[in-house]
């Protein structure tokens, strides 16, 4: 099945998610994905990184098995073998996501200092919507770049990291 950017949403977010934020973030993801599906979005693109990308991909798969069987998960990966140095349990989860994805796209064959950048631009350039987990105080890194790029490209960006938790 072909997909179009007008009916696609990408995910971007931080790799580290505080344990106390995970449940709330999963609930917010559920609501946001369901809302977008109600608006006609049928394809969700995840970048395959640990943290938010993985959490979002898992939530798409969970919803696809239940009330939203028509939605698709496309993994857009920076290069072959990105998981080579991951902990075994993280690599196993990654392989399960690969097996369950509707499509897997590699933006490079081998790792380079630019492959993550290419992956992030691909996610944005092939989407109309962006769900992110972005802590607004962050000014550097892949998530900050991707959120900024998505906004400049006119994507509708919803930040799921912009919720009030107990202040630390």
């Amino acid at each position: 099945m072909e997909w179009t950017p007008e009916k696609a949403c990408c995910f971007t977010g931080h790799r580290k998610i505080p344990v106390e934020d995970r449940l709330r973030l999963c609930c917010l993801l559920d609501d946001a994905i369901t809302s977008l599906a109600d608006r006609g979005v049928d394809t969700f693109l995840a970048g395959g990184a640990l943290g938010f990308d993985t959490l979002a991909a898992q939530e798409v798969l969970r919803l696809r098995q239940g009330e939203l069987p028509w939605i698709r998960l496309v993994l857009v990966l920076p290069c072959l073998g990105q998981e080579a140095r991951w902990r075994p349990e993280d690599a196993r989860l990654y392989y399960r996501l690969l097996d369950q994805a509707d499509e897997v796209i590699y933006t490079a064959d081998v790792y380079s200092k630019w492959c993550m950048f290419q992956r992030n631009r691909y996610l944005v350039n092939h989407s109309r919507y962006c769900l992110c987990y972005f802590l607004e105080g962050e000014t550097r890194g892949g998530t900050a770049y991707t959120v900024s790029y998505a906004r400049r490209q006119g994507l509708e960006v919803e930040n799921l990291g912009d919720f009030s938790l107990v202040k630390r």
Side-chain angles (χ1 to χ4, degrees):
M1 178 173 106
E2 292 292 317
W3 52 276
T4 62
E6 292 76 29
K7 297 173 110 183
C9 173
C10 66
F11 300 109
T12 188
H14 301 297
R15 286 185 173 85
K16 294 185 181 187
I17 302 169
V19 173
E20 61 272 17
D21 292 356
R22 290 181 76 83
L23 180 58
R24 178 127 186 224
L25 189 54
C26 284
C27 292
L28 291 170
L29 269 167
D30 181 291
D31 290 346
I33 293 166
T34 300
S35 176
L36 285 168
D38 288 346
R39 293 168 58 190
V41 174
D42 59 12
T43 305
F44 293 85
L45 287 71
L50 297 173
F52 184 71
D53 284 3
T54 299
L55 200 64
Q58 289 176 297
E59 194 60 27
V60 169
L61 292 171
R62 190 189 70 72
L63 288 166
R64 186 179 74 186
Q65 291 173 350
E67 62 263 27
L68 303 174
W70 63 88
I71 64 174
R72 299 174 31 117
L73 174 64
V74 176
L75 293 178
V76 179
L77 307 176
C79 62
L80 292 164
Q82 79 162 345
E83 78 291 355
R85 295 184 181 173
W86 291 4
R87 296 180 315 173
E89 60 271 21
D90 292 332
R92 282 191 296 276
L93 173 57
Y94 177 77
Y95 296 136
R96 282 196 303 275
L97 292 176
L98 285 174
D99 287 343
Q100 295 177 68
D102 295 289
E103 187 175 350
V104 177
I105 297 166
Y106 293 93
T107 58
D109 291 330
V110 296
Y111 179 82
S112 74
K113 65 181 184 176
W114 302 110
C115 69
M116 303 295 178
F117 173 78
Q118 288 174 259
R119 185 259 331 260
N120 294 343
R121 289 180 69 95
Y122 187 100
L123 288 165
V124 169
N125 291 340
H126 291 84
S127 300
R128 171 70 187 99
Y129 305 90
C130 176
L131 291 177
C132 64
Y133 172 68
F134 178 56
L135 304 176
E136 293 289 347
E138 302 285 329
T139 58
R140 298 174 47 148
T143 300
Y145 169 80
T146 306
V147 169
S148 174
Y149 182 66
R151 288 177 175 149
R152 287 193 317 270
Q153 295 304 307
L155 271 66
E156 187 175 312
V157 177
E158 182 177 351
N159 185 5
L160 304 180
D162 191 19
F163 56 85
S164 298
L165 294 174
V166 177
K167 299 294 180 197
R168 296 170 247 248

